[in-house]
Coordinates of all heavy atoms in Angstrom, one line a residue:
M87 N -34.6 58.6 -39.0 CA -35.2 57.3 -39.0 C -34.9 56.6 -37.7 O -33.8 56.5 -37.2 CB -34.5 56.5 -40.2 CG -35.0 55.1 -40.2 SD -34.6 54.2 -41.7 CE -32.9 53.8 -41.5
A88 N -36.0 56.2 -37.0 CA -35.9 55.5 -35.8 C -35.6 54.0 -36.0 O -36.4 53.3 -36.7 CB -37.3 55.6 -35.0
V89 N -34.5 53.6 -35.6 CA -34.0 52.3 -35.9 C -34.1 51.3 -34.7 O -33.8 51.7 -33.6 CB -32.5 52.3 -36.4 CG1 -32.0 50.9 -36.7 CG2 -32.4 53.2 -37.6
K90 N -34.6 50.1 -34.9 CA -34.7 49.1 -33.9 C -34.0 47.8 -34.3 O -33.9 47.5 -35.4 CB -36.2 48.8 -33.6 CG -37.0 49.9 -33.0 CD -38.2 49.5 -32.4 CE -38.0 49.0 -31.0 NZ -38.7 49.4 -29.9
I91 N -33.5 47.1 -33.2 CA -33.0 45.8 -33.5 C -34.0 44.8 -32.9 O -34.4 44.9 -31.7 CB -31.6 45.6 -32.7 CG1 -30.6 46.6 -33.2 CG2 -31.1 44.2 -33.0 CD1 -29.3 46.6 -32.4
R92 N -34.6 44.0 -33.8 CA -35.7 43.1 -33.3 C -35.6 41.8 -34.0 O -34.7 41.5 -34.8 CB -37.0 43.8 -33.5 CG -37.3 44.2 -34.9 CD -38.6 45.0 -35.0 NE -38.8 45.5 -36.3 CZ -39.8 46.4 -36.5 NH1 -40.6 46.8 -35.6 NH2 -39.9 46.9 -37.7
L93 N -36.5 40.9 -33.7 CA -36.5 39.5 -34.2 C -37.5 39.4 -35.4 O -38.6 40.1 -35.4 CB -37.0 38.5 -33.2 CG -36.1 38.4 -32.0 CD1 -36.7 37.5 -30.9 CD2 -34.7 37.8 -32.4
K94 N -37.1 38.7 -36.4 CA -38.0 38.4 -37.6 C -38.2 36.9 -37.5 O -37.3 36.1 -37.5 CB -37.2 38.8 -38.9 CG -38.0 38.5 -40.1 CD -37.2 38.9 -41.3 CE -38.0 38.6 -42.6 NZ -37.3 39.1 -43.8
R95 N -39.5 36.5 -37.5 CA -39.9 35.1 -37.4 C -39.7 34.4 -38.7 O -40.1 34.9 -39.8 CB -41.3 35.0 -37.0 CG -41.7 33.5 -36.6 CD -43.2 33.5 -36.2 NE -43.5 32.3 -35.6 CZ -43.8 31.1 -36.2 NH1 -43.8 31.1 -37.5 NH2 -44.1 30.0 -35.5
M96 N -39.0 33.3 -38.6 CA -38.8 32.4 -39.8 C -39.3 31.0 -39.5 O -39.7 30.7 -38.3 CB -37.3 32.4 -40.1 CG -36.6 33.7 -40.3 SD -37.2 34.6 -41.8 CE -36.4 33.6 -43.0
G97 N -39.2 30.1 -40.4 CA -39.6 28.7 -40.1 C -41.0 28.4 -40.4 O -41.8 29.2 -40.9
S98 N -41.4 27.2 -40.1 CA -42.8 26.7 -40.4 C -43.6 26.8 -39.1 O -43.1 27.1 -38.0 CB -42.7 25.3 -40.9 OG -42.1 24.4 -40.0
K99 N -44.8 26.4 -39.3 CA -45.8 26.3 -38.1 C -45.2 25.5 -37.0 O -44.8 24.3 -37.3 CB -47.1 25.8 -38.6 CG -48.3 26.4 -38.0 CD -49.6 25.6 -38.4 CE -50.1 26.2 -39.7 NZ -51.4 25.6 -40.1
R100 N -45.3 26.0 -35.8 CA -44.8 25.3 -34.6 C -43.3 24.9 -34.6 O -42.9 24.0 -33.9 CB -45.7 24.0 -34.3 CG -47.1 24.4 -33.9 CD -47.8 23.1 -33.4 NE -48.0 22.2 -34.5 CZ -49.1 22.0 -35.2 NH1 -50.2 22.6 -34.9 NH2 -49.1 21.1 -36.2
N101 N -42.6 25.5 -35.5 CA -41.1 25.2 -35.6 C -40.4 26.6 -35.9 O -39.7 26.7 -36.9 CB -40.9 24.2 -36.7 CG -39.5 23.7 -36.7 OD1 -38.8 23.8 -35.7 ND2 -39.0 23.2 -37.8
A102 N -40.6 27.5 -35.1 CA -40.2 28.9 -35.3 C -38.7 29.0 -35.1 O -38.1 28.4 -34.1 CB -40.9 29.9 -34.5
S103 N -38.0 29.8 -35.9 CA -36.7 30.3 -35.6 C -36.7 31.7 -36.0 O -37.6 32.2 -36.6 CB -35.6 29.5 -36.4 OG -35.8 29.7 -37.8
Y104 N -35.7 32.5 -35.5 CA -35.8 33.9 -35.6 C -34.4 34.4 -36.2 O -33.4 33.8 -35.9 CB -36.0 34.6 -34.3 CG -37.4 34.2 -33.7 CD1 -37.5 33.1 -32.9 CD2 -38.5 34.9 -34.0 CE1 -38.7 32.7 -32.4 CE2 -39.7 34.5 -33.5 CZ -39.8 33.4 -32.6 OH -41.0 33.0 -32.1
R105 N -34.5 35.6 -36.9 CA -33.3 36.3 -37.3 C -33.3 37.6 -36.5 O -34.3 38.3 -36.4 CB -33.3 36.5 -38.8 CG -33.2 35.2 -39.6 CD -32.5 35.4 -40.8 NE -32.4 34.0 -41.4 CZ -32.7 33.8 -42.7 NH1 -33.2 34.8 -43.4 NH2 -32.6 32.6 -43.2
L106 N -32.1 38.1 -36.1 CA -31.9 39.4 -35.5 C -31.7 40.3 -36.6 O -30.7 40.2 -37.4 CB -30.7 39.4 -34.6 CG -30.9 38.9 -33.1 CD1 -31.1 37.4 -33.1 CD2 -29.8 39.4 -32.3
I107 N -32.5 41.3 -36.7 CA -32.5 42.3 -37.8 C -32.5 43.7 -37.3 O -32.9 44.0 -36.2 CB -33.6 42.1 -38.8 CG1 -35.0 42.3 -38.2 CG2 -33.5 40.7 -39.5 CD1 -36.1 42.5 -39.2
V108 N -32.0 44.6 -38.2 CA -32.1 46.0 -37.9 C -33.0 46.6 -38.9 O -32.9 46.3 -40.1 CB -30.7 46.7 -38.1 CG1 -30.8 48.2 -37.9 CG2 -29.6 46.1 -37.2
S109 N -34.1 47.3 -38.4 CA -35.1 47.8 -39.3 C -35.6 49.1 -38.8 O -35.5 49.5 -37.6 CB -36.2 46.8 -39.5 OG -36.9 46.7 -38.3
D110 N -36.3 49.8 -39.7 CA -37.0 51.1 -39.3 C -38.2 50.7 -38.4 O -38.9 49.7 -38.7 CB -37.5 51.7 -40.6 CG -38.1 53.1 -40.3 OD1 -38.4 53.4 -39.2 OD2 -38.4 53.8 -41.3
S111 N -38.3 51.4 -37.3 CA -39.4 51.0 -36.3 C -40.8 51.2 -36.9 O -41.8 50.6 -36.4 CB -39.2 51.8 -35.0 OG -39.4 53.2 -35.3
R112 N -40.9 52.0 -37.9 CA -42.2 52.2 -38.5 C -42.6 51.1 -39.5 O -43.8 51.1 -40.0 CB -42.3 53.6 -39.2 CG -42.0 54.7 -38.2 CD -41.8 56.0 -38.9 NE -40.5 55.9 -39.5 CZ -39.9 56.9 -40.1 NH1 -40.4 58.1 -40.2 NH2 -38.7 56.8 -40.7
R113 N -41.7 50.3 -39.9 CA -42.0 49.2 -40.8 C -42.5 47.9 -40.1 O -42.2 47.7 -38.9 CB -40.7 48.8 -41.6 CG -40.3 49.9 -42.5 CD -40.5 49.6 -43.9 NE -39.9 50.7 -44.7 CZ -39.9 50.6 -46.1 NH1 -40.4 49.5 -46.6 NH2 -39.4 51.5 -46.8
A114 N -43.1 47.0 -40.9 CA -43.6 45.7 -40.3 C -42.4 44.9 -40.0 O -41.4 44.9 -40.7 CB -44.5 45.0 -41.3
P115 N -42.4 44.1 -38.9 CA -41.3 43.3 -38.5 C -40.9 42.2 -39.5 O -39.8 41.8 -39.6 CB -41.8 42.7 -37.2 CG -42.8 43.5 -36.7 CD -43.5 44.1 -37.9
Q116 N -41.9 41.8 -40.3 CA -41.6 40.7 -41.3 C -41.3 41.3 -42.6 O -41.0 40.5 -43.6 CB -42.8 39.8 -41.4 CG -43.4 39.2 -40.1 CD -42.4 38.8 -39.1 OE1 -41.2 38.5 -39.4 NE2 -42.8 38.7 -37.8
G117 N -41.2 42.6 -42.8 CA -41.0 43.2 -44.1 C -39.5 43.6 -44.3 O -38.6 42.9 -43.9
Y118 N -39.3 44.7 -44.9 CA -38.0 45.3 -45.2 C -37.1 45.4 -44.0 O -37.6 45.9 -43.0 CB -38.2 46.6 -45.9 CG -37.0 47.4 -46.1 CD1 -36.1 47.1 -47.2 CD2 -36.6 48.4 -45.3 CE1 -35.0 47.8 -47.4 CE2 -35.4 49.1 -45.4 CZ -34.6 48.8 -46.5 OH -33.5 49.5 -46.7
F119 N -35.9 45.1 -44.1 CA -34.9 45.3 -43.0 C -33.6 45.9 -43.6 O -33.3 45.7 -44.8 CB -34.7 44.1 -42.2 CG -34.1 42.9 -42.9 CD1 -32.7 42.7 -42.9 CD2 -34.9 42.0 -43.5 CE1 -32.2 41.6 -43.6 CE2 -34.3 40.9 -44.1 CZ -33.0 40.7 -44.2
V120 N -32.8 46.6 -42.8 CA -31.6 47.2 -43.2 C -30.5 46.2 -43.2 O -29.7 46.1 -44.2 CB -31.3 48.4 -42.3 CG1 -30.0 49.1 -42.7 CG2 -32.4 49.4 -42.3
E121 N -30.3 45.4 -42.1 CA -29.2 44.5 -42.0 C -29.5 43.4 -41.1 O -30.3 43.5 -40.2 CB -28.0 45.2 -41.4 CG -26.7 44.5 -41.5 CD -25.5 45.3 -41.2 OE1 -25.6 46.4 -40.7 OE2 -24.4 44.9 -41.6
E122 N -29.0 42.2 -41.3 CA -29.1 41.0 -40.5 C -27.9 40.8 -39.6 O -26.8 40.9 -40.0 CB -29.3 39.8 -41.4 CG -29.7 38.5 -40.6 CD -29.9 37.3 -41.6 OE1 -30.6 37.5 -42.6 OE2 -29.4 36.3 -41.2
L123 N -28.2 40.6 -38.3 CA -27.1 40.6 -37.3 C -26.8 39.2 -36.8 O -25.8 38.9 -36.2 CB -27.4 41.5 -36.1 CG -27.7 42.9 -36.4 CD1 -28.0 43.7 -35.1 CD2 -26.5 43.6 -37.1
G124 N -27.8 38.2 -37.0 CA -27.6 36.9 -36.5 C -28.8 36.1 -36.5 O -29.8 36.5 -37.2
Y125 N -28.9 35.0 -35.7 CA -30.1 34.2 -35.6 C -30.3 33.7 -34.2 O -29.4 33.7 -33.4 CB -30.0 33.0 -36.6 CG -28.9 32.0 -36.3 CD1 -29.1 31.0 -35.3 CD2 -27.7 32.1 -36.9 CE1 -28.1 30.1 -35.1 CE2 -26.6 31.2 -36.6 CZ -26.8 30.2 -35.7 OH -25.9 29.3 -35.4
Y126 N -31.5 33.2 -33.9 CA -31.9 32.6 -32.6 C -32.8 31.5 -32.9 O -33.8 31.6 -33.6 CB -32.5 33.7 -31.8 CG -33.2 33.3 -30.5 CD1 -32.5 32.5 -29.6 CD2 -34.5 33.6 -30.3 CE1 -33.2 32.1 -28.4 CE2 -35.2 33.2 -29.2 CZ -34.5 32.4 -28.2 OH -35.1 32.0 -27.1
D127 N -32.6 30.3 -32.3 CA -33.4 29.1 -32.5 C -33.8 28.6 -31.1 O -33.0 27.9 -30.4 CB -32.7 28.1 -33.3 CG -33.6 26.9 -33.7 OD1 -34.8 26.9 -33.3 OD2 -33.2 26.0 -34.3
P128 N -35.0 29.0 -30.6 CA -35.4 28.5 -29.3 C -35.9 27.0 -29.2 O -36.1 26.5 -28.1 CB -36.6 29.4 -28.9 CG -37.1 29.8 -30.3 CD -36.0 29.8 -31.2
T129 N -36.0 26.4 -30.4 CA -36.6 25.0 -30.4 C -35.5 24.0 -30.1 O -35.9 22.8 -29.8 CB -37.2 24.7 -31.7 OG1 -36.2 24.8 -32.8 CG2 -38.4 25.6 -32.0
T130 N -34.2 24.3 -30.1 CA -33.2 23.3 -29.8 C -32.9 23.3 -28.3 O -33.3 24.2 -27.6 CB -31.9 23.7 -30.6 OG1 -31.5 25.0 -30.1 CG2 -32.1 23.7 -32.0
E131 N -32.3 22.3 -27.9 CA -32.0 22.1 -26.5 C -30.5 22.0 -26.3 O -29.9 20.9 -26.7 CB -32.7 20.9 -25.8 CG -32.6 20.8 -24.4 CD -33.2 22.1 -23.6 OE1 -34.2 22.6 -24.0 OE2 -32.5 22.4 -22.7
P132 N -29.7 22.9 -25.8 CA -30.1 24.2 -25.4 C -30.4 25.1 -26.6 O -29.9 24.8 -27.7 CB -28.9 24.7 -24.6 CG -27.7 24.0 -25.2 CD -28.3 22.7 -25.6
E133 N -31.1 26.2 -26.3 CA -31.4 27.1 -27.4 C -30.1 27.7 -28.0 O -29.1 28.0 -27.3 CB -32.3 28.3 -27.0 CG -31.7 29.1 -25.8 CD -32.8 30.0 -25.1 OE1 -34.0 29.6 -25.2 OE2 -32.3 31.0 -24.7
T134 N -30.1 27.8 -29.4 CA -28.9 28.3 -30.1 C -29.1 29.7 -30.6 O -30.2 30.1 -30.9 CB -28.5 27.4 -31.3 OG1 -29.6 27.3 -32.1 CG2 -28.2 26.0 -30.8
Y135 N -28.0 30.5 -30.6 CA -28.0 31.8 -31.1 C -26.7 32.2 -31.5 O -25.7 31.6 -31.1 CB -28.5 32.8 -30.0 CG -27.8 32.8 -28.8 CD1 -26.7 33.7 -28.6 CD2 -28.1 32.0 -27.7 CE1 -25.9 33.7 -27.5 CE2 -27.3 32.0 -26.6 CZ -26.2 32.8 -26.4 OH -25.5 32.8 -25.3
Q136 N -26.6 33.1 -32.5 CA -25.4 33.6 -33.0 C -25.5 35.1 -33.3 O -26.6 35.4 -33.9 CB -24.9 32.8 -34.3 CG -23.6 33.2 -34.9 CD -23.8 34.3 -35.9 OE1 -24.7 34.4 -36.6 NE2 -22.8 35.2 -36.0
V137 N -24.6 35.9 -32.9 CA -24.7 37.4 -33.1 C -23.4 37.9 -33.6 O -22.4 37.5 -33.1 CB -25.1 38.1 -31.8 CG1 -25.1 39.6 -32.0 CG2 -26.4 37.6 -31.1
D138 N -23.5 38.6 -34.7 CA -22.3 39.3 -35.2 C -22.0 40.5 -34.3 O -22.7 41.5 -34.4 CB -22.5 39.8 -36.7 CG -21.2 40.3 -37.3 OD1 -20.4 40.8 -36.6 OD2 -21.2 40.2 -38.5
E139 N -21.0 40.4 -33.5 CA -20.7 41.3 -32.4 C -20.3 42.7 -33.0 O -20.8 43.7 -32.5 CB -19.5 40.8 -31.6 CG -19.5 41.3 -30.2 CD -18.4 40.5 -29.4 OE1 -18.7 39.4 -29.0 OE2 -17.4 41.2 -29.1
E140 N -19.5 42.7 -34.0 CA -19.1 44.0 -34.6 C -20.3 44.8 -35.2 O -20.4 46.0 -34.9 CB -18.1 43.8 -35.8 CG -16.7 43.7 -35.4 CD -15.8 43.5 -36.6 OE1 -16.1 44.2 -37.6 OE2 -14.8 42.8 -36.5
K141 N -21.1 44.1 -35.9 CA -22.3 44.8 -36.5 C -23.3 45.3 -35.4 O -23.8 46.4 -35.4 CB -23.1 43.9 -37.4 CG -22.4 43.6 -38.7 CD -23.2 42.7 -39.6 CE -22.5 42.3 -40.9 NZ -23.3 41.4 -41.7
A142 N -23.5 44.4 -34.4 CA -24.4 44.8 -33.3 C -23.9 46.0 -32.5 O -24.7 47.0 -32.3 CB -24.6 43.6 -32.4
L143 N -22.6 46.1 -32.2 CA -22.0 47.2 -31.5 C -22.1 48.5 -32.4 O -22.4 49.6 -31.9 CB -20.6 46.9 -31.1 CG -20.4 46.1 -29.9 CD1 -18.9 45.7 -29.8 CD2 -20.9 46.7 -28.7
K144 N -21.9 48.3 -33.7 CA -22.0 49.5 -34.6 C -23.4 50.1 -34.6 O -23.5 51.3 -34.4 CB -21.6 49.1 -36.0 CG -21.7 50.2 -37.1 CD -21.5 49.7 -38.5 CE -22.9 49.3 -38.9 NZ -23.1 49.1 -40.4
W145 N -24.4 49.2 -34.6 CA -25.8 49.7 -34.6 C -26.2 50.3 -33.3 O -26.9 51.3 -33.2 CB -26.7 48.7 -35.1 CG -26.7 48.5 -36.6 CD1 -26.1 47.5 -37.3 CD2 -27.3 49.5 -37.5 NE1 -26.3 47.8 -38.6 CE2 -27.0 48.9 -38.8 CE3 -28.0 50.6 -37.4 CZ2 -27.4 49.6 -40.0 CZ3 -28.4 51.3 -38.6 CH2 -28.1 50.8 -39.8
L146 N -25.7 49.6 -32.2 CA -26.0 50.2 -30.9 C -25.4 51.6 -30.7 O -26.0 52.5 -30.1 CB -25.6 49.2 -29.8 CG -26.4 47.9 -29.6 CD1 -25.7 46.9 -28.7 CD2 -27.8 48.2 -29.1
N147 N -24.2 51.7 -31.1 CA -23.5 53.0 -31.0 C -24.1 54.1 -31.9 O -24.0 55.2 -31.6 CB -22.0 52.8 -31.3 CG -21.3 52.1 -30.1 OD1 -21.7 52.2 -29.0 ND2 -20.3 51.3 -30.5
N148 N -24.7 53.7 -32.9 CA -25.4 54.6 -33.8 C -26.8 54.9 -33.4 O -27.5 55.7 -34.1 CB -25.4 54.1 -35.3 CG -24.1 54.2 -35.9 OD1 -23.3 55.0 -35.6 ND2 -23.8 53.4 -36.9
G149 N -27.3 54.4 -32.2 CA -28.6 54.8 -31.7 C -29.7 53.8 -31.9 O -30.8 54.1 -31.6
A150 N -29.4 52.6 -32.4 CA -30.5 51.6 -32.5 C -30.9 51.1 -31.2 O -30.1 50.8 -30.3 CB -30.0 50.4 -33.4
K151 N -32.2 50.9 -31.0 CA -32.8 50.4 -29.7 C -33.2 49.0 -29.8 O -34.0 48.6 -30.7 CB -34.0 51.3 -29.4 CG -33.8 52.7 -29.2 CD -33.0 53.0 -27.9 CE -32.7 54.4 -27.7 NZ -31.6 54.7 -26.9
P152 N -32.6 48.1 -29.0 CA -33.0 46.7 -29.1 C -34.3 46.4 -28.4 O -34.7 47.1 -27.4 CB -31.9 46.0 -28.4 CG -31.3 47.0 -27.5 CD -31.5 48.3 -28.1
S153 N -35.1 45.4 -28.9 CA -36.3 45.0 -28.2 C -35.9 44.3 -26.9 O -34.7 44.0 -26.7 CB -37.1 44.1 -29.1 OG -36.5 42.9 -29.3
D154 N -36.8 44.0 -26.0 CA -36.5 43.3 -24.8 C -35.8 42.0 -25.0 O -34.8 41.6 -24.3 CB -37.8 43.2 -23.9 CG -38.3 44.6 -23.4 OD1 -37.5 45.5 -23.4 OD2 -39.5 44.6 -23.1
T155 N -36.4 41.2 -25.9 CA -35.8 39.8 -26.1 C -34.5 39.9 -26.7 O -33.5 39.2 -26.4 CB -36.8 39.0 -27.0 OG1 -38.1 39.0 -26.5 CG2 -36.3 37.6 -27.2
V156 N -34.3 40.8 -27.7 CA -33.0 41.0 -28.3 C -32.0 41.5 -27.3 O -30.8 41.0 -27.3 CB -33.1 42.0 -29.5 CG1 -31.7 42.3 -30.0 CG2 -33.9 41.4 -30.6
K157 N -32.4 42.4 -26.4 CA -31.4 42.8 -25.4 C -31.0 41.7 -24.5 O -29.8 41.6 -24.1 CB -32.1 43.9 -24.5 CG -31.2 44.6 -23.5 CD -31.9 45.5 -22.6 CE -32.1 46.8 -23.3 NZ -32.6 47.9 -22.4
T158 N -31.8 40.7 -24.2 CA -31.5 39.6 -23.4 C -30.5 38.7 -24.2 O -29.5 38.2 -23.6 CB -32.7 38.7 -23.0 OG1 -33.6 39.6 -22.3 CG2 -32.4 37.5 -22.2
L159 N -30.7 38.5 -25.5 CA -29.8 37.7 -26.3 C -28.4 38.4 -26.4 O -27.4 37.7 -26.4 CB -30.4 37.5 -27.7 CG -31.5 36.5 -27.8 CD1 -32.1 36.6 -29.2 CD2 -31.1 35.2 -27.5
L160 N -28.5 39.7 -26.5 CA -27.2 40.4 -26.6 C -26.4 40.3 -25.3 O -25.2 40.3 -25.3 CB -27.4 41.9 -27.0 CG -28.0 42.1 -28.4 CD1 -28.3 43.6 -28.6 CD2 -27.0 41.7 -29.5
K161 N -27.1 40.3 -24.2 CA -26.4 40.1 -22.9 C -25.8 38.7 -22.8 O -24.7 38.6 -22.4 CB -27.4 40.3 -21.7 CG -27.8 41.8 -21.5 CD -28.7 41.9 -20.3 CE -29.1 43.3 -20.1 NZ -30.1 43.5 -19.1
K162 N -26.5 37.7 -23.3 CA -26.0 36.3 -23.2 C -24.8 36.2 -24.1 O -23.9 35.5 -23.8 CB -27.1 35.4 -23.7 CG -28.2 35.1 -22.7 CD -29.1 34.0 -23.3 CE -30.3 33.7 -22.4 NZ -31.2 32.7 -23.0
A163 N -24.8 36.9 -25.3 CA -23.7 36.9 -26.2 C -22.5 37.8 -25.8 O -21.4 37.7 -26.4 CB -24.2 37.3 -27.6
G164 N -22.7 38.6 -24.8 CA -21.6 39.4 -24.3 C -21.5 40.7 -25.0 O -20.5 41.5 -24.7
V165 N -22.4 41.1 -25.8 CA -22.3 42.3 -26.6 C -22.6 43.5 -25.7 O -22.0 44.6 -25.8 CB -23.3 42.3 -27.8 CG1 -23.3 43.6 -28.5 CG2 -22.9 41.2 -28.7
M166 N -23.6 43.4 -24.8 CA -24.1 44.5 -24.0 C -23.0 44.9 -23.0 O -22.9 46.0 -22.5 CB -25.4 44.2 -23.3 CG -26.6 44.1 -24.2 SD -26.8 45.5 -25.2 CE -27.7 46.6 -24.1
A167 N -22.1 44.0 -22.6 CA -21.0 44.3 -21.7 C -20.0 45.2 -22.4 O -19.3 46.0 -21.7 CB -20.3 43.0 -21.2
K168 N -19.9 45.1 -23.7 CA -18.9 45.9 -24.4 C -19.5 47.2 -24.9 O -18.8 48.1 -25.3 CB -18.4 45.2 -25.7 CG -17.6 43.9 -25.3 CD -17.2 43.2 -26.5 CE -16.4 41.9 -26.1 NZ -16.0 41.1 -27.2
Y169 N -20.9 47.4 -24.8 CA -21.6 48.6 -25.2 C -21.5 49.6 -24.1 O -21.8 49.3 -23.0 CB -23.0 48.2 -25.6 CG -23.9 49.4 -25.9 CD1 -23.6 50.3 -26.9 CD2 -25.0 49.6 -25.2 CE1 -24.3 51.4 -27.2 CE2 -25.9 50.7 -25.5 CZ -25.5 51.6 -26.4 OH -26.3 52.6 -26.7
H170 N -21.1 50.8 -24.5 CA -20.9 51.8 -23.4 C -22.0 52.9 -23.6 O -21.7 54.1 -23.6 CB -19.5 52.4 -23.5 CG -18.5 51.4 -23.3 ND1 -18.3 50.8 -22.1 CD2 -17.6 50.9 -24.1 CE1 -17.3 49.9 -22.2 NE2 -16.8 50.0 -23.5
G171 N -23.2 52.6 -23.9 CA -24.3 53.6 -24.1 C -25.0 53.8 -22.8 O -24.6 53.6 -21.7
N172 N -26.2 54.3 -23.0 CA -27.1 54.7 -21.9 C -27.9 53.6 -21.3 O -28.5 53.7 -20.3 CB -28.1 55.8 -22.3 CG -27.4 57.1 -22.7 OD1 -26.2 57.3 -22.4 ND2 -28.0 57.9 -23.5
E173 N -27.8 52.4 -21.9 CA -28.6 51.3 -21.5 C -28.1 50.7 -20.2 O -27.1 50.3 -20.0 CB -28.7 50.2 -22.5 CG -29.1 50.7 -23.9 CD -30.6 50.9 -24.0 OE1 -31.3 50.2 -23.3 OE2 -30.9 51.8 -24.7

């Protein structure tokens, strides 16, 4: 199973917030997911995010590929500095 870490859109119209999820890359982003890793809210000033570091590292070490936006969030949270993969 090809696993990705990506964002799932939540919230109402023009008031989006996102959850960081782990899901099968062949599934729809808004559908079934394996595990939730945190959240991201770009509408606040400054933007808020929270990432469960242990879970994120576990999935990265097991071969999950983060999307570009999620990779940026993981760098801000300091998770990518602790990840010793090929990225």
